[in-house]
Amino acid sequence: MSEKKTKRRDFLFTATYAVGAVGVGATIWPMIDQMNPDASVKALASTEVDVSSMSPGKTITVLWRGKPVFIRRRTPDEISEAKAVKMEELKHPEKDEDRAKNPEWLVMLGVCTHLGCVPLDQKGDYNGWFCPCHGSHYDISGRIRKGPAPTNMEIPKYEFVSANTIKIG
Amino acid sequence: MRNSFKLLTFLLIYSFGINFSFSADKIEYLQTDWSFKGLFGKFDRSALQRGYQVYTEVCSSCHSMKYLSYRNLAEKGGPEFSEAQAKAIAASFDVTDGPNSDGDMFTRPGKLSDKFVMPYANVKAAQAANGGAYPPDMSVLVKARKGGVDYIYSLLQGYEDPPIGITLDDGVYYNKFMYGNKIKMSNPLSDGIVEYVDGTNATIEQMSKDVTTFLMWAAEPHLESRHKMGFKAILYLIILTILVYFSMKKIWSRIETKV
Amino acid sequence: MSDHNYTPSSKFGKWFNDRLPLLSLANHLTDYPTPKNLNYWWTFGGILTFCLITQIVTGLVLAMHYIAHADMAFDSVEHIMRDVNYGWLIRYIHANGASMFFLAVYIHIFRSLFYGSYKAPREIIWIIGIIIYLLMMAAAFMGYVLPWGQMSFWGATVITNLFSAIPLVGEGIVTWLWGGYSVDNPTLTRFFTLHYLIPFLILGLVVLHIWALHVPGNNNPVGIDIQKPSKDTVPFHPYIVIKDGFALLMFMIVFAFFVFYTPNILGHADNYIEADPLVTPAHIVPEWYLLPFYAILRSVPDKLLGVVAMLSAIFILAALPWLDTSKIRSAVFRPLYRQFYWILVADVLILGYVGAMPAEGLYLLVARVATAYYFIHFLIILPVLGYKEKTLPVPLSITEPVLGGSPNLAGARIKSKKDLKI
């Protein structure tokens, strides 16, 4: 056997293995991707909420993409309280102005950033939300103040399509 | 080798025999050139868009399409209306939604995620409005009929006066391509019943072809990606087969026996 | 077998293998001495393993999206076809995979019939195979019910009604199978459960099938017992692995063609119409792979006897190792059996053909003759043939194809050599 011939055989086997591996990968992908959100799930992106009947100091919870969204119409006291918090005190520093474009309305995902439970309204040490699962305390801007949760509650994409209607998503 | 040859010959004759006997009582359907047939078949976008127009303006008053959503109209491989066009189409329909916070149902303009609005609330209502015959849902109609697109295409052009000796009840029509020739749907198409947005002349033949193309897409929305992926997959398999064949030859050359 | 004295080379390997001899098993499988003259008809065992795994994997995935409820099953299938990522691909693979599975199993069975692989000492392999085949039919039938189309519904109605042929308890059994007074939601959910279960039973039986195979070793085209390992054998890896792989790829090309270009050709248009208990489709026919048995069922004019005939047609196969009295395994050396073998192949194809046709006139007559011949082949021809047939001389080993050197036998050698490469 010349060396050249051995080399060619090695190349043939390597090529066969490599091409085969590509095929196996390409076959596995559809089996994995099928578990991702399907086209109909992706399409259900937005929910519109009528908030005309809400008075200051009230919170409603609406369902969006299978998750609760808290909508709170905050009182002037609550707004000033939220704005007064110093950034140094926060575990996850975010200004209230950045979280509530219209300070009267706080729209956020009602999901604790620790392990996904739904926090209770008007509970906890900071006059905001309290997660009963593992004791995370959020303030009136939904920012984490105490407990195991790493970040503030998330603000979804939303807009006021009219004075009284909020479109989430 | 000789036996496998015998076997192959036999199988060939066998499958021809089956074909022949199946075609013996088969009606000759009208033929046309479908762009979506063949290894690289694709839909004709403008035919799909026109077909959708025929569906909405003619068929949809009786036939539902419950598995389609307005978003599908803008999806790749379909009629490919722009997103704005699809939104406008969706918004032109009133969709029942609810219940709202008062517990009442309400109507709102359609959204992309909504299913096609159905002409009747349920099958019973559809039957009641159509003399007992249920206009079938059209989502998978092409796949649900033997003969597929050729059958639908022919049926739409198959209305005729009944031959002498055949009497038809009220609300029953004669169609030479219908199974049993009696159909409860009156001739839905007439020249110019639709005014095409793109200015195409709306002959019965043209509309039949367009709407059948649209129905084919509705039944098989992933046809284009299926064809594309199929070509790649088979090409890949052939390459790998050749590689494996030579590897096999190499390996078996270590011993004397032939593979 | 060579694995008795196998010791892993690494220290950890030895430690592990002493506690769980997986490495010995792997070594046994790779070194397994296989007759080197196996032709391509022998590659269908591997192809069938591929089919089973494909069906299990795609089925598992489909079950994540399918809803087993009479009101939602049809919708959920359409949801899979339209919205689920690659759902159409996975469903078409699963649906056509069933047909591919049966295509392969029929070739596998007929290969066994030609080369006498069912004969001693391989009767247990054969009988396990028949049980697998029965379970495959059950799985395929129940799977066809799941989309809840018209053929699903009426197929389920007709097949479950077969049990009503049983005297006295028949009606009770049918009601029990349905969980109601007709095929309905309870029937669908139990069929789904069983359809999910059966492939795993098959998988277990396949392990037994292979285990039982590895005791005597493979039969081969010459049909003689061989020394293992010897110059007549090659190790399973890489020789047989690469050959099976090559055949599998050819098979996959055919498979892919069906999936991507004619995915619905083997199905029935009626199954894209949602189940309607008020309307029966004009022609009820089972899937192609059940047609021969369907023809047998319909060829008998009595309800009970028809069912008995159909079931006998399958169970008679289990008795085959004892019905075939010939000492010679391979049809290569049985000139008469070879003729009858091809007649049987034709007979089964004819049965399949008339099974698809309306049961009337000439078709019915042909079906009856073919049914009768099917049973005659197994019950009369095979036992008699074993005693009457003058067989050709059988070689002592694969590498030395023929006994001696007389002129007559030399003629036989050339003939048989050709046939070995069928």
Side-chain angles (χ1 to χ4, degrees):
Chain A
M1 281 276 153
S2 70
E3 206 177 296
K4 206 174 155 195
K5 202 166 182 189
T6 325
K7 263 192 180 156
R8 207 174 61 202
R9 176 187 295 178
D10 287 347
F11 173 74
L12 177 64
F13 292 158
T14 313
T16 311
Y17 275 125
V19 174
V22 170
V24 171
T27 316
I28 289 175
W29 173 243
M31 305 295 157
I32 295 170
D33 192 37
Q34 53 85 19
M35 298 222 296
N36 277 321
D38 65 48
S40 62
V41 172
K42 284 184 201 149
L44 293 173
S46 59
T47 308
E48 287 183 12
V49 188
D50 179 10
V51 291
S52 55
S53 58
M54 282 176 70
S55 54
K58 269 196 80 174
T59 304
I60 58 164
T61 309
V62 294
L63 196 67
W64 175 68
R65 285 187 178 170
K67 288 179 190 161
V69 172
F70 293 152
I71 301 176
R72 181 167 180 88
R73 186 167 186 183
R74 299 190 295 188
T75 60
D77 286 354
E78 289 171 341
I79 296 168
S80 47
E81 184 192 328
K83 286 190 191 289
V85 178
K86 293 197 187 74
M87 285 299 113
E88 307 79 87
E89 293 171 30
L90 295 171
K91 191 173 180 181
H92 176 198
E94 267 186 317
K95 285 185 188 152
D96 187 60
E97 298 91 287
D98 295 337
R99 293 179 58 79
K101 292 272 183 298
N102 176 349
E104 202 179 351
W105 295 94
L106 177 66
V107 179
M108 68 180 175
L109 270 187
V111 178
C112 178
T113 57
H114 181 221
L115 292 170
C117 297
V118 178
L120 302 169
D121 189 23
Q122 300 297 291
K123 289 264 162 62
D125 299 352
Y126 294 88
N127 194 24
W129 285 268
F130 170 68
C131 181
C133 290
H134 306 97
S136 294
H137 298 258
Y138 297 89
D139 66 15
I140 196 62
S141 187
R143 293 174 293 200
I144 180 66
R145 302 298 290 270
K146 199 166 111 185
T151 57
N152 303 335
M153 279 193 268
E154 204 182 316
I155 306 290
K157 194 180 141 219
Y158 69 91
E159 58 178 340
F160 277 86
V161 285
S162 71
N164 286 325
T165 314
I166 300 174
K167 183 182 166 202
I168 307 166
Chain B
M1 206 61 224
R2 207 187 33 188
N3 276 340
S4 24
F5 181 71
K6 256 195 258 172
L7 182 69
L8 273 180
T9 320
F10 185 81
L11 284 177
L12 222 66
I13 296 167
Y14 180 73
S15 42
F16 272 126
I18 285 194
N19 257 333
F20 178 74
S21 59
F22 276 142
S23 54
D25 47 16
K26 201 152 89 182
I27 313 158
E28 284 292 319
Y29 294 126
L30 302 177
Q31 298 296 316
T32 186
D33 51 327
W34 300 111
S35 64
F36 47 81
K37 295 236 159 139
L39 293 193
F40 304 101
K42 281 181 178 179
F43 290 114
D44 172 353
R45 305 272 164 249
S46 42
L48 283 180
Q49 297 197 356
R50 287 194 301 268
Y52 173 69
Q53 197 185 343
V54 177
Y55 168 72
T56 3
E57 291 180 19
V58 182
C59 322
S60 72
S61 55
C62 298
H63 291 276
S64 60
M65 256 185 154
K66 60 179 174 176
Y67 296 118
L68 272 84
S69 305
Y70 295 110
R71 67 186 156 84
N72 296 137
L73 295 172
E75 277 167 7
K76 222 173 160 285
E80 294 188 4
F81 286 106
S82 70
E83 178 128 345
Q85 281 174 313
K87 272 186 177 155
I89 289 170
S92 68
F93 292 93
D94 282 333
V95 173
T96 307
D97 200 349
N100 62 14
S101 45
D102 298 327
D104 298 325
M105 302 303 276
F106 58 93
T107 57
R108 57 163 175 78
K111 294 188 285 194
L112 285 181
S113 57
D114 288 319
K115 299 265 183 208
F116 276 23
V117 175
M118 303 220 270
Y120 304 104
N122 51 53
V123 175
K124 290 268 185 242
Q127 283 172 330
N130 289 283
Y134 167 59
D137 183 84
M138 279 185 162
S139 318
V140 281
L141 192 67
V142 169
K143 289 198 280 186
R145 294 291 179 275
K146 227 174 143 182
V149 279
D150 294 330
Y151 168 74
I152 307 273
Y153 176 71
S154 304
L155 186 89
L156 287 170
Q157 301 173 65
Y159 284 88
E160 273 179 359
D161 289 331
I164 298 152
I166 292 185
T167 48
L168 298 170
D169 295 338
D170 254 7
V172 177
Y173 306 89
Y174 187 84
N175 189 307
K176 63 178 168 180
F177 294 110
M178 178 75 182
Y179 182 74
N181 298 127
K182 288 179 184 173
I183 186 167
K184 286 198 170 176
M185 172 172 77
S186 64
N187 189 351
L189 298 177
S190 55
D191 286 332
I193 192 172
V194 166
E195 200 174 314
Y196 276 135
V197 180
D198 65 2
T200 307
N201 189 13
T203 60
I204 290 182
E205 197 187 334
Q206 182 68 42
M207 287 185 288
S208 303
K209 190 171 174 182
D210 291 343
V211 80
T212 309
T213 307
F214 176 73
L215 291 178
M216 182 68 213
W217 166 75
E220 202 62 26
H222 297 292
L223 178 137
E224 286 189 13
S225 40
R226 175 155 64 74
H227 284 177
K228 255 187 244 161
M229 198 189 289
F231 180 72
K232 283 187 213 153
I234 290 174
L235 190 69
Y236 165 82
L237 283 171
I238 290 172
I239 292 171
L240 186 61
T241 307
I242 293 169
L243 281 172
V244 167
Y245 176 77
F246 285 112
S247 299
M248 178 175 74
K249 284 286 179 197
K250 283 272 182 205
I251 288 171
W252 279 78
S253 71
R254 293 171 195 167
I255 54 169
E256 278 171 40
T257 313
K258 277 204 278 176
V259 190
Chain C
M1 268 166 262
S2 60
D3 47 297
H4 288 301
N5 37 28
Y6 168 78
T7 21
S9 49
S10 77
K11 221 174 163 189
F12 174 75
K14 191 174 177 313
W15 178 87
F16 186 89
N17 203 50
D18 286 345
R19 283 148 184 85
L20 180 68
L22 273 185
L23 293 169
S24 286
L25 177 66
N27 178 259
H28 161 74
L29 292 176
T30 50
D31 280 2
Y32 172 67
T34 319
K36 66 181 181 188
N37 62 336
L38 295 188
N39 56 35
Y40 282 105
W41 299 114
W42 256 268
T43 59
F44 282 86
I47 288 171
L48 283 162
T49 313
F50 164 80
C51 288
L52 178 61
I53 291 168
T54 305
Q55 291 305 86
I56 289 181
V57 171
T58 51
L60 209 70
V61 164
L62 289 171
M64 295 181 189
H65 304 281
Y66 171 76
I67 301 167
H69 189 286
D71 295 340
M72 286 178 272
F74 194 86
D75 292 7
S76 72
V77 171
E78 277 308 311
H79 168 67
I80 291 168
M81 292 297 289
R82 289 161 193 278
D83 292 334
V84 173
N85 304 321
Y86 297 105
W88 60 268
L89 174 65
I90 296 162
R91 174 167 176 258
Y92 278 153
I93 291 177
H94 197 73
N96 286 284
S99 282
M100 291 293 129
F101 206 153
F102 274 95
L103 176 70
V105 92
Y106 282 125
I107 295 175
H108 195 60
I109 291 172
F110 275 96
R111 187 271 290 155
S112 191
L113 290 180
F114 189 84
Y115 294 109
S117 301
Y118 48 83
K119 293 188 196 184
R122 297 186 180 82
E123 302 96 319
I124 301 286
I125 312 175
W126 172 255
I127 289 170
I128 293 172
I130 298 296
I131 299 171
I132 292 174
Y133 174 52
L134 271 172
L135 285 175
M136 276 174 66
M137 289 202 269
F141 159 66
M142 290 183 198
Y144 201 59
V145 174
L146 302 185
W148 211 239
Q150 275 287 66
M151 276 293 169
S152 303
F153 183 88
W154 292 101
T157 302
V158 169
I159 300 294
T160 48
N161 262 315
L162 291 180
F163 290 90
S164 69
I166 304 169
L168 301 173
V169 291
E171 291 295 337
I173 289 176
V174 174
T175 310
W176 174 75
L177 282 174
W178 288 343
Y181 301 105
S182 66
V183 172
D184 207 339
N185 197 47
T187 328
L188 177 60
T189 48
R190 68 191 57 180
F191 276 18
F192 177 59
T193 312
L194 294 172
H195 180 72
Y196 206 123
L197 168 71
I198 289 173
F200 295 98
L201 296 181
I202 294 178
L203 191 64
L205 285 166
V206 165
V207 171
L208 294 183
H209 194 64
I210 295 172
W211 186 1
L213 169 72
H214 280 224
V215 175
N218 288 69
N219 183 27
N220 64 78
V222 185
I224 52 169
D225 293 325
I226 50 168
Q227 293 289 315
K228 293 171 302 168
S230 70
K231 57 182 175 171
D232 283 348
T233 66
V234 289
F236 189 76
H237 181 79
Y239 296 96
I240 304 298
V241 170
I242 189 89
K243 193 172 172 178
D244 278 1
F246 171 65
L248 174 61
L249 282 165
M250 305 267 274
F251 183 81
M252 283 166 81
I253 292 173
V254 178
F255 195 156
F257 186 83
F258 276 106
V259 168
F260 290 109
Y261 291 107
T262 56
N264 291 309
I265 201 164
L266 297 168
H268 302 291
D270 285 304
N271 225 28
Y272 278 105
I273 303 171
E274 200 170 350
D276 181 353
L278 300 177
V279 186
T280 309
H283 296 288
I284 295 205
V285 274
E287 293 285 83
W288 69 267
Y289 39 81
L290 302 175
L291 286 174
F293 299 106
Y294 192 58
I296 293 175
L297 169 76
R298 291 192 308 181
S299 68
V300 182
D302 180 83
K303 186 174 175 180
L304 177 60
L305 290 180
V307 177
V308 169
M310 183 179 73
L311 293 176
S312 315
I314 303 168
F315 286 111
I316 204 169
L317 292 172
L320 184 58
W322 297 276
L323 289 171
D324 185 348
T325 51
S326 175
K327 295 275 177 285
I328 307 294
R329 289 201 192 99
S330 175
V332 170
F333 305 103
R334 301 182 61 191
L336 269 179
Y337 172 71
R338 205 157 60 209
Q339 307 300 325
F340 285 113
Y341 171 84
W342 289 113
I343 296 174
L344 179 73
V345 172
D347 187 61
V348 171
L349 289 174
I350 288 167
L351 278 173
Y353 172 67
V354 292
M357 296 293 126
E360 59 201 22
L362 186 64
Y363 293 128
L364 190 58
L365 182 71
V366 173
R368 284 182 178 159
V369 173
T371 300
Y373 183 79
Y374 182 90
F375 287 103
I376 289 169
H377 174 90
F378 288 107
L379 293 175
I380 299 170
I381 296 175
L382 279 190
V384 172
L385 212 55
Y387 297 110
K388 298 283 179 198
E389 187 174 30
K390 196 168 172 302
T391 56
L392 302 174
V394 177
L396 287 173
S397 85
I398 294 168
T399 34
E400 295 153 54
V402 127
L403 274 174
S406 78
N408 276 347
L409 293 174
R413 177 178 61 191
I414 293 159
K415 188 172 163 51
S416 59
K417 248 192 169 173
K418 260 191 189 165
D419 286 332
L420 297 187
K421 295 247 68 103
I422 183 171

